[in-house]
């Protein structure tokens, strides 16, 4: 058995949920902590937690000891929505947006998703892998220990499969826990602009069977939005995915009231993500369902959009997760610490609500709640150790200032 690790003198051990169930509505504010605590790691898992006054050091002779005096220990961030496999950044569009062009105008002129698709098509699997692996290294230093990665910059049979094979290789080589989502329905390639049925057929008849047989994806996603995929098209694609064992996670209600929420709920999707453009009916519909609403405040911030109505969703009783949407077009940052700050600053989520949304509810949005997202014996020892800080609220308060001092993935220090 590998040497055990003992973390002592933890100022606050955060996120000791008794249940792995998703937190909804007012439950989101409940973030159980243990003050002056210790935590034991054995065989990559959390083995035991308790308060320092109950610790018998004689039991831990030979263990590796980490002294966490003044420091907080949290579950690693579970970032349940990223597009971090891409070939190139798009800062030229960023400048266009500063000059006043809208996201839709840029997309209509062959920029946006199609711009990234051209670059992915030209890139080798090796180049894509190396760039994406480096991004994983960077986000893990910021405290992300579990991450979802989407395809969707391929948009042809070959390029979508290339992206998914890169993600499969990342799963094998990276210490982060990774889930793969097939997003072939991210945009219509130019050649199919007038022939949606033919592209959908390519997805259902050419891409999905290979994805299923090579086990290249865990979920299916569709960009349900005006000018992209209609609710009917979304349904057709997600049902084909479901028949191959892929639950749905949907991009909805980003730019318009696209009926993305209603479509996701009808499909019993695991999550519907974005939600910048919501009305009362969409809020009620989501709150009365088991679908998680994943908010991506970095995308709203970067595109200068109205923030998702986090408070109204929480008050209505919805389950909320937070994620980065890390991608080159609308959110070129994989920093979950900034997401948590933004959720508090711009969407008025309480620090406890934001941390729950970025950990246990993010894990639920990936169906990984039995492995990560909270501090419980038997879960993988994916942990953030902060530098000494004055309180938990200091984390989102000190935006832009990294309080993450050490990160453990499966008990292994990566920082
Ligand atoms: O989640 N909204 C759709 N897709 C991405 C953006 C993709 C891009 O602009 O490259 C998003 O924001
Ligand atoms: Fe996205």
């Amino acid at each position: 058995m590998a040497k055990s690790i003992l973390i002592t003198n933890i100022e606050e051990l955060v996120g000791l949920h008794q249940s792995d169930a998703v937190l909804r509505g007012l439950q989101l504010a409940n973030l159980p902590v243990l003050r002056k605590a210790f935590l034991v790691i054995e065989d990559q898992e959390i083995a035991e937690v308790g308060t320092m006054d109950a610790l018998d050091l004689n039991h831990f002779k030979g263990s590796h000891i980490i002294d966490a005096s003044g420091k907080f220990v949290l579950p690693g961030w579970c970032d349940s929505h990223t597009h971090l496999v891409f070939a190139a950044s798009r800062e030229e569009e960023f400048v266009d947006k500063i000059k006043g062009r809208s996201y839709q105008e840029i997309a209509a002129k062959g920029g946006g998703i199609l711009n990234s698709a051209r670059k992915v098509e030209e890139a080798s699997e090796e180049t894509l892998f190396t760039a994406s692996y480096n991004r994983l290294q960077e986000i893990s230093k910021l405290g992300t220990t579990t991450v979802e990665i989407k395809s969707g910059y391929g948009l042809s049979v070959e390029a979508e499969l290339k992206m998914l094979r890169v993600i499969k290789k990342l799963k094998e080589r990276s210490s982060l826990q990774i889930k793969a989502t097939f997003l072939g329905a991210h945009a219509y390639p130019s050649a199919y602009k007038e022939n949606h049925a033919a592209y959908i057929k390519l997805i259902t008849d050419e891409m999905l069977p290979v994805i299923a047989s090579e086990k290249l994806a865990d979920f299916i996603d569709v960009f349900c939005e005006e000018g992209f995929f209609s609710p009917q098209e979304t349904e057709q694609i997600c049902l084909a995915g479901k028949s191959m064992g892929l639950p749905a996670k949907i991009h909805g209600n980003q730019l318009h009231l696209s009926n993305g929420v209603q479509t996701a709920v009808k499909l019993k999707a695991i999550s519907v993500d974005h939600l910048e453009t919501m009305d009362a009916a969409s809020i009620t519909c989501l709150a009365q369902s088991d679908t998680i609403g994943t908010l991506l405040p970095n995308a709203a911030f970067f595109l200068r959009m109205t923030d998702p109505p986090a408070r109204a969703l929480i008050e209505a009783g919805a389950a909320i997760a937070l994620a980065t949407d890390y991608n080159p077009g609308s959110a070129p940052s994989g920093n979950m610490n900034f997401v948590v700050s933004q959720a508090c600053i711009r969407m008025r989520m309480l620090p406890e609500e934001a941390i729950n949304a970025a950990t246990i509810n993010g894990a639920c949005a990936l169906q990984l709640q039995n492995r990560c997202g909270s501090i419980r014996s038997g879960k993988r020892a994916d942990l953030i150790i902060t530098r000494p800080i004055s309180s938990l609220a200091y984390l989102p308060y000190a935006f832009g200032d990294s309080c993450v001092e050490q990160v453990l993935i499966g008990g292994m220090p990566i920082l």
Side-chain angles (χ1 to χ4, degrees):
M1 194 173 81
K3 193 156 125 173
S4 64
I5 300 172
L6 170 65
I7 310 178
T8 59
N9 298 314
I10 303 167
E11 185 61 30
E12 266 184 35
L13 180 57
V14 178
L16 294 108
H17 291 288
Q18 307 237 315
S19 147
D20 295 335
V22 72
L23 300 170
R24 42 192 328 128
L26 299 177
Q27 295 171 337
L28 268 153
N30 175 31
L31 181 62
V33 304
L34 205 56
R35 283 173 230 283
K36 307 286 178 206
F38 72 88
L39 181 147
V40 182
I41 300 169
E42 271 165 17
D43 293 331
Q44 303 176 17
E45 291 182 348
I46 299 170
E48 193 187 338
V49 299
T51 49
M52 284 306 288
D53 52 12
L55 175 67
D56 182 356
L57 271 175
N58 291 323
H59 280 131
F60 295 98
K61 291 218 172 84
S63 296
H64 175 67
I65 295 184
I66 300 174
D67 180 11
S69 295
K71 302 175 183 180
F72 286 54
V73 174
L74 294 85
W77 304 128
C78 298
D79 186 353
S80 62
H81 182 138
T82 84
H83 309 247
L84 69 70
V85 174
F86 55 87
S89 56
R90 298 199 329 240
E91 58 270 32
E92 64 289 353
E93 294 178 9
F94 169 64
V95 176
D96 280 346
K97 277 184 229 128
I98 293 172
K99 291 179 181 163
R101 278 220 219 153
S102 72
Y103 185 70
Q104 289 100 313
E105 280 172 317
I106 291 167
K109 291 210 164 83
I113 296 166
L114 297 184
N115 181 358
S116 282
R118 276 192 299 278
K119 289 171 177 154
V120 163
E121 193 186 354
E122 288 158 13
S124 71
E125 203 173 304
E126 204 47 47
T127 312
L128 276 178
F129 172 80
T130 307
S132 310
Y133 186 83
N134 291 341
R135 288 180 199 122
L136 284 179
Q137 295 292 96
E138 280 165 25
I139 64 170
S140 65
K141 289 178 195 156
L142 297 167
T144 298
T145 52
T146 296
V147 66
E148 180 253 22
I149 311 175
K150 300 175 193 294
S151 68
Y153 291 132
L155 309 181
S156 68
V157 179
E158 302 71 34
E160 279 297 309
L161 294 176
K162 174 166 71 178
M163 285 191 77
L164 289 166
R165 289 187 182 120
V166 167
I167 302 172
K168 189 173 186 183
K169 205 154 132 195
L170 292 170
K171 282 186 180 185
E172 290 159 7
R173 307 263 178 97
S174 166
S175 58
L176 279 91
Q177 198 161 208
I178 298 172
K179 287 272 186 175
T181 300
F182 169 52
L183 177 58
H186 198 187
Y188 283 103
S190 310
Y192 293 90
K193 267 272 172 269
E194 306 306 326
N195 192 356
H196 288 188
Y199 186 61
I200 294 176
K201 198 164 159 43
L202 214 58
I203 291 177
T204 57
D205 297 7
E206 310 268 336
M207 300 185 197
L208 273 172
V210 183
I211 291 166
S213 76
E214 291 186 29
K215 293 195 179 12
L216 291 174
D218 304 293
F219 303 106
I220 186 160
D221 191 347
V222 176
F223 188 18
C224 182
E225 182 58 64
E226 281 178 28
F228 293 83
F229 293 79
S230 71
Q232 293 71 27
E233 292 166 346
T234 302
E235 233 180 287
Q236 190 189 344
I237 296 162
C238 288
L239 288 176
K242 258 191 171 175
S243 75
M244 307 220 176
L246 305 179
K249 287 170 71 64
I250 291 174
H251 279 73
N253 290 57
Q254 180 185 14
L255 309 172
H256 300 94
L257 280 174
S258 55
N259 266 324
V261 168
Q262 286 78 357
T263 308
V265 168
K266 187 171 169 199
L267 286 163
K268 297 195 187 321
I270 305 295
S271 71
V272 57
D273 305 20
H274 271 289
L275 314 183
E276 286 88 339
T277 313
M278 294 286 275
D279 59 3
S282 311
I283 292 173
T284 309
C285 173
L286 184 61
Q288 291 175 351
S289 77
D290 288 331
T291 299
I292 297 170
T294 300
L295 313 184
L296 313 164
N298 280 2
F301 171 68
F302 192 78
L303 298 181
R304 300 187 187 84
M305 291 189 64
T306 313
D307 292 300
R311 284 261 57 94
L313 284 162
I314 292 171
E315 270 144 39
I320 298 299
L322 283 168
T324 62
D325 198 17
Y326 191 4
N327 77 75
S330 66
S333 160
N335 189 341
M336 280 294 283
N337 305 288
F338 190 59
V339 167
V340 169
S341 283
Q342 295 256 57
C344 297
I345 297 164
R346 292 168 58 98
M347 302 198 292
R348 294 176 183 274
M349 288 178 75
L350 295 168
E352 291 81 1
E353 292 173 330
I355 290 168
N356 276 326
T359 53
I360 185 66
N361 279 10
C364 292
L366 295 178
Q367 299 186 314
L368 281 172
Q369 64 271 30
N370 59 348
R371 292 301 294 140
C372 57
S374 67
I375 305 292
R376 170 171 76 59
S377 302
K379 282 199 179 183
R380 223 168 78 124
D382 292 349
L383 304 170
I384 292 172
I385 305 178
T386 69
R387 62 180 166 81
I389 52 175
S390 44
S391 73
L392 194 60
Y394 188 84
L395 272 184
Y397 158 87
F399 77 94
D401 176 3
S402 181
C403 296
V404 176
E405 188 174 85
Q406 201 172 5
V407 179
L408 305 182
I409 298 187
M412 286 291 291
I414 60 119
L415 190 66

